[in-house]
Amino acid sequence: MSSLKRRQFLQFAGSTLATLGLSQHDFFRQADRYGRVLAQDNPRRKLALLVGIEYANDPKVSPLPGCITDLELQWHLLVHRFGFNPKDIYVLADRQPNFLDRPPLPPTRENIFQAFNEYLIRQAKSDDTVVFHFSGHGGLVLDERSKTRLFTVKNRTVDGTILPSDHYSNADPKRVQDIMGRSIFLLTDQLQTDTVSIILDSCHSGAGTRGGNLIYRVAGSRTSEELDRPTDAELQYQEQKLREKNLDELDFAKLREKNAKGIAIGSANYTELAMDQKFDNDRFRAGAFTYLLTRYLWQMPTDESLNQMFDKLRMATAIASVDQVPEYLVNPDRAAKQPIYFVNTQTPWADAVIRKISDNSEIEFWLGGISAFSLEQNSKGSIFSVINVDQQEVAQITQTRRDRLFGYGTLTSGSKDAIKPGALLREVIQGIDPKPVLKLSIDDSLGKDKADAQTALEQLSFVKLVPISQASYVLGRMTLQYQTQSKQQKFPFIPNLNQIGLFTADGLRPVENSFRSEGTIEKIISGLSQNLKSVLAKQILKTITGEDIATQNPKFNIKTEILTLEGKALGGTNIKRFQEKSLVQLQLTNRDRTNLYAAVIAINSDSTLSFLHPSSADASESAALVEQGTSVKTVEVKLLPPAGFVEVLTIASTSPIRKALLALQRVAIDNRLTNGRSAIPTSGDASLNVIGDLLADLDQNTRRSIAVIPSVSGVNKTQFSSSTMIVEVVQAQ
């Protein structure tokens, strides 16, 4: 984060991390202290307090159905990847998580304070590590006693809060039982250890509204000019702790500037809203940030520092077009070089972990590392390797069914002794629906055109009409309300009023180049059919590759670089930036032990696919081949259209992908691409045919080596690999 952005991030109370009431001085002044403490590679004990609140029966705020899923995601990750003892993880929740055999205590204000004191403050020693994770609503309250003005609204000092389950139980409607940042600081200050990670999947800006399938984790009533006030109990707790430390308010303000502990991770910055998002056709919900973070950490092949990890997480939000960029605060020279939780991973990367074995030998496993795109297709037919500590396969499990993030299967080969709770799994064969469809919902904004739109869409065999909760995209009209919402969210593309086109179901983001206004609804949908096919082609491609986050965990050692015309490579993990219409080259280097067939595909914001390699009409097998130990450069290409983010996806296979290349060759010939400065653009039928043939190639290659059930297409992950990078195309000056 640049120094300017860091100042902005801290000055506005909308930041998730405002809850902690931290300033940049908290971190910069403690560099030497952190350097000594963080050098400890093996903390003696690892303690965690997980708090999740769904507010299901609370009429005052929006329910958040994903907050307990967040705790489940964190618990399985901490236990099975980072080596936390389950006995050292304490949980407060308003619904029973799947990893507990009895209901937890409710996350009331009193219980949160008591748990922090009993399980963290009294137990953590100086060389221990501590994790506090909160998923729920955030808010703001007046902070009239504060002697610092780090956070103000309408020139009034405020403090960020987290909302316990009984936040509105007080008799005074303007007094809330929120837990203020001042109190959280006082709690963390009592810890003997400095290796503290505070993770907050909540937000403090905007209103508690919905956009499509999204629910935002903020209490809407907290955004009015008449801000709530904290309870007497909250203020008395703070006064008591200040007396114990013999501090007045001025001294306390100085303490907060000098003595912050550990790392604070926020799910969004001050301009954004933290999302409670639906996954798997609305079979479950989770915090968009927590799901992204935990899945990334399951897939991370080697330990990374915080700054390395956050570079890639920010890339991932660009890939997913999510308007929520996670942030963290910590000393950049020392602590940012440490791994998350201040703990190295204890086990190899994985896609899943075995939970239990039933009496009928059915195996239950937790699919915490599977991509969101793959999850929707992954119901049966997928095959998982059981791996040992040396990452060797010792058995195989074939998945027979799935319920949300729980997979169920049977042992099909290998040792029965290897099938035990805690054993790690990697997906080797991905089962995919051979005839995927685009799940689409029709918005009420179409009004009298809605019935005719349904009739027209039902004629498209590749489209399935579903409720918005199960949809990936929505067909609707750009109303004044949607236009205002788009401007508030600062979407890069905002159609004109009354135009009809596609929105994403999550967040109602308009899809570029899909909006039309002329003709009948039937004519508009006829014109949109090519856009719908492009969107479906992109979804199939993302399902095949599983690239919904920038894991950088390819199976093969093939590297893709973008070169300037001077031959300079743009390296690093940060997003690469080019002016629009820039001419560049791609260089593919095969450092693996075998020859590979490779394709590089650019995915634009409107779902148009452009093939950067092979990049000419000679889309033959030899053109796709990158021999072992060699590099291949593409011809010069224009790296893509108007300003915006472009995802560049590299796929590699040990077997030829003949059908896809033949389809690509037909596209090139049809488009008469004879000059060497063009990528091969595909959309509509063309893109659907090429990606459909790619899936057929991979299925055929898979079935040569292993038995796959007839009802799915199989993708052999040992023969196929993918990796991704993000390019930002900016307007020419």
Side-chain angles (χ1 to χ4, degrees):
M1 196 190 312
S2 70
S3 59
L4 175 62
K5 288 186 177 179
R6 184 176 291 108
R7 288 197 299 274
Q8 293 172 330
F9 179 54
L10 286 159
Q11 287 169 352
F12 287 83
S15 165
T16 299
L17 300 185
T19 297
L20 297 179
L22 302 178
S23 77
Q24 60 264 47
H25 302 294
D26 298 335
F27 299 100
F28 289 113
R29 294 182 182 181
Q30 296 302 311
D32 292 336
R33 181 184 181 194
Y34 282 146
R36 293 191 301 270
V37 175
L38 302 182
Q40 304 174 63
D41 188 44
N42 297 303
R44 185 169 59 87
R45 193 177 179 196
K46 293 170 282 206
L47 302 166
L49 173 59
L50 309 181
V51 180
I53 313 175
E54 293 189 341
Y55 311 93
N57 300 313
D58 192 331
K60 299 290 185 69
V61 294
S62 301
L64 299 177
C67 289
I68 305 306
T69 305
D70 286 2
L71 303 195
E72 295 166 352
L73 288 163
Q74 275 282 22
W75 188 90
H76 286 94
L77 178 78
L78 292 174
V79 170
H80 298 297
R81 208 62 260 242
F82 287 90
F84 280 60
N85 188 326
K87 295 179 180 179
D88 289 332
I89 301 177
Y90 195 77
V91 176
L92 296 173
D94 54 358
R95 178 172 64 80
Q96 184 172 339
N98 63 52
F99 54 82
L100 292 180
D101 56 8
R102 62 187 183 280
L105 285 176
T108 62
R109 179 185 179 279
E110 181 180 354
N111 285 343
I112 293 173
F113 272 93
Q114 184 174 351
F116 208 107
N117 277 287
E118 293 291 332
Y119 295 96
L120 300 183
I121 293 172
R122 294 187 181 180
Q123 295 192 37
K125 306 302 180 185
S126 60
D127 56 351
D128 292 344
T129 190
V130 166
V131 174
F132 174 72
H133 179 105
F134 175 82
S135 283
H137 277 303
L140 295 172
V141 295
L142 286 172
D143 189 7
E144 296 170 314
R145 303 186 183 192
S146 175
K147 296 300 182 182
T148 178
R149 293 181 63 79
L150 281 174
F151 312 107
T152 61
V153 172
K154 300 291 185 181
N155 206 33
R156 304 175 77 184
T157 303
V158 297
D159 201 4
T161 68
I162 57 176
L163 276 64
S165 60
D166 60 344
H167 59 105
Y168 273 119
S169 65
N170 194 280
D172 185 345
K174 295 307 295 178
R175 294 247 178 192
V176 291
Q177 298 199 136
D178 293 15
I179 299 175
M180 297 171 62
R182 288 164 57 94
S183 297
I184 295 179
F185 177 87
L186 288 165
L187 286 167
T188 56
D189 185 62
Q190 297 172 68
L191 291 164
Q192 295 184 42
T193 178
D194 283 353
T195 51
V196 181
S197 298
I198 307 292
I199 302 170
L200 304 174
D201 201 339
S202 58
C203 63
H204 305 141
S205 61
T209 57
R210 298 166 184 258
N213 286 323
L214 296 180
I215 304 173
Y216 298 118
R217 293 184 168 184
V218 61
S221 64
R222 308 311 169 84
T223 61
S224 66
E225 292 190 14
E226 295 184 12
L227 290 163
D228 291 322
R229 297 173 183 272
T231 60
D232 290 337
E234 182 75 2
L235 298 177
Q236 288 166 7
Y237 170 80
Q238 296 168 14
E239 291 171 358
Q240 175 191 342
K241 292 303 174 185
L242 293 186
R243 284 196 302 270
E244 290 175 4
K245 290 179 172 290
N246 196 27
L247 297 173
D248 59 20
E249 281 291 335
L250 212 49
D251 292 331
F252 179 54
K254 294 177 182 178
L255 178 69
R256 293 182 78 179
E257 288 187 356
K258 295 180 180 179
N259 209 35
K261 293 176 182 282
I263 297 167
I265 297 176
S267 59
N269 71 34
Y270 70 89
T271 64
E272 300 161 347
L273 299 173
M275 296 181 289
D276 199 271
Q277 191 172 359
K278 66 101 177 175
F279 296 95
D280 190 21
N281 299 318
D282 205 24
R283 289 188 177 93
F284 73 93
R285 287 183 177 257
F289 170 68
T290 299
Y291 188 66
L292 174 72
L293 173 70
T294 53
R295 191 176 112 60
Y296 180 89
L297 293 173
W298 271 110
Q299 290 284 312
M300 186 174 64
T302 57
D303 290 309
E304 296 177 343
S305 65
L306 266 175
N307 49 17
Q308 289 174 322
M309 184 190 76
F310 265 80
D311 279 343
K312 294 177 183 177
L313 288 179
R314 289 172 183 139
M315 286 175 62
T317 62
I319 292 173
S321 297
V322 171
D323 301 295
Q324 175 185 337
V325 181
E327 300 285 2
Y328 72 96
L329 288 177
V330 73
N331 182 278
D333 297 324
R334 301 282 183 99
K337 297 178 182 179
Q338 299 296 317
I340 190 170
Y341 311 129
F342 302 109
V343 178
N344 289 322
T345 53
Q346 306 295 302
T347 58
W349 71 267
D351 294 308
V353 60
I354 294 178
R355 279 173 44 87
K356 60 184 178 182
I357 300 92
S358 65
D359 293 338
N360 63 357
S361 298
E362 184 178 57
I363 304 162
E364 178 183 291
F365 42 97
W366 176 253
L367 295 162
I370 294 291
S371 81
F373 281 101
S374 300
L375 197 62
E376 294 191 10
Q377 301 290 340
N378 189 331
S379 58
K380 60 180 180 179
S382 294
I383 299 175
F384 291 85
S385 287
V386 185
I387 61 169
N388 60 19
V389 292
D390 297 320
Q391 305 189 55
Q392 298 172 327
E393 180 183 292
V394 291
Q396 282 192 348
I397 296 170
T398 298
Q399 184 172 311
T400 55
R401 63 188 180 96
R402 182 177 57 80
D403 177 17
R404 297 164 294 162
L405 283 165
F406 298 98
Y408 299 87
T410 58
L411 177 67
T412 48
S413 67
S415 169
K416 288 184 179 180
D417 295 336
I419 308 302
K420 54 188 176 182
L424 299 179
L425 309 180
R426 289 181 182 170
E427 188 179 47
V428 289
I429 305 295
Q430 179 185 358
I432 297 176
D433 188 337
K435 294 182 179 179
V437 293
L438 180 66
K439 294 179 179 178
L440 187 69
S441 180
I442 304 176
D443 192 62
D444 289 339
S445 59
L446 289 185
K448 60 183 178 60
D449 292 322
K450 187 173 181 179
D452 291 337
Q454 179 174 338
T455 300
L457 288 168
E458 286 174 344
Q459 306 306 309
L460 303 178
S461 60
F462 60 92
V463 170
K464 181 179 181 181
L465 296 178
V466 296
I468 188 172
S469 63
Q470 300 175 20
S472 300
Y473 290 86
V474 177
L475 178 70
R477 178 178 277 111
M478 177 53 67
T479 63
L480 181 60
Q481 176 187 348
Y482 289 163
Q483 194 174 71
T484 301
Q485 178 179 309
S486 297
K487 290 177 181 178
Q488 289 174 343
Q489 296 295 318
K490 298 181 180 179
F491 291 150
F493 168 69
I494 302 176
N496 295 327
L497 281 176
N498 295 319
Q499 285 190 316
I500 294 174
L502 297 177
F503 299 83
T504 61
D506 288 339
L508 295 180
R509 174 193 284 262
V511 176
E512 291 185 51
N513 300 324
S514 72
F515 280 79
R516 294 161 171 77
S517 56
E518 297 180 359
T520 64
I521 188 67
E522 291 86 355
K523 183 177 179 180
I524 290 174
I525 289 175
S526 176
L528 273 174
S529 65
Q530 295 301 307
N531 298 83
L532 294 169
K533 289 176 181 177
S534 295
V535 168
L536 178 57
K538 172 186 172 181
Q539 285 195 346
I540 299 171
L541 180 61
K542 301 287 277 185
T543 299
I544 292 171
T545 60
E547 286 296 339
D548 61 344
I549 61 174
T551 58
Q552 302 299 313
N553 188 19
K555 306 296 186 301
F556 305 124
N557 192 358
I558 185 168
K559 183 178 182 181
T560 302
E561 296 175 291
I562 298 178
L563 308 178
T564 64
L565 294 190
E566 294 76 27
K568 182 180 178 180
L570 297 180
T573 58
N574 291 319
I575 294 172
K576 284 77 175 170
R577 289 177 174 83
F578 294 89
Q579 288 190 357
E580 57 184 331
K581 301 180 182 177
S582 296
L583 288 173
V584 299
Q585 285 182 300
L586 265 69
Q587 178 171 282
L588 281 75
T589 303
N590 182 0
R591 298 173 179 170
D592 211 84
R593 298 179 179 179
T594 185
N595 294 342
L596 296 170
Y597 296 87
V600 183
I601 306 169
I603 307 175
N604 301 333
S605 56
D606 64 354
S607 298
T608 299
L609 307 179
S610 296
F611 285 78
L612 307 180
H613 174 80
S615 58
S616 71
D618 181 26
S620 61
E621 238 176 78
S622 59
L625 180 64
V626 185
E627 294 183 344
Q628 172 190 355
T630 66
S631 293
V632 173
K633 286 185 180 179
T634 68
V635 293
E636 296 169 4
V637 296
K638 286 181 182 178
L639 198 57
L640 304 168
F645 288 105
V646 178
E647 183 180 354
V648 178
L649 186 66
T650 301
I651 60 176
S653 173
T654 56
S655 301
I657 44 178
R658 296 185 179 91
K659 292 180 181 178
L661 291 172
L662 287 172
L664 183 58
Q665 189 177 47
R666 288 194 296 272
V667 171
I669 294 171
D670 290 344
N671 288 348
R672 303 293 188 267
L673 295 178
T674 56
N675 70 77
R677 292 195 169 186
S678 297
I680 300 179
T682 68
S683 60
D685 288 309
S687 59
L688 197 55
N689 289 339
V690 173
I691 302 305
D693 283 337
L694 174 62
L695 180 57
D697 278 326
L698 297 173
D699 179 56
Q700 186 177 41
N701 293 338
T702 297
R703 292 179 188 277
R704 290 195 184 106
S705 57
I706 195 167
V708 180
I709 63 174
S711 60
V712 300
S713 293
V715 177
N716 190 332
K717 296 298 186 71
T718 66
Q719 299 175 351
F720 174 78
S721 175
S722 62
S723 61
T724 190
M725 72 172 74
I726 297 297
V727 172
E728 184 178 8
V729 181
V730 298
Q731 290 182 343
Q733 299 297 319

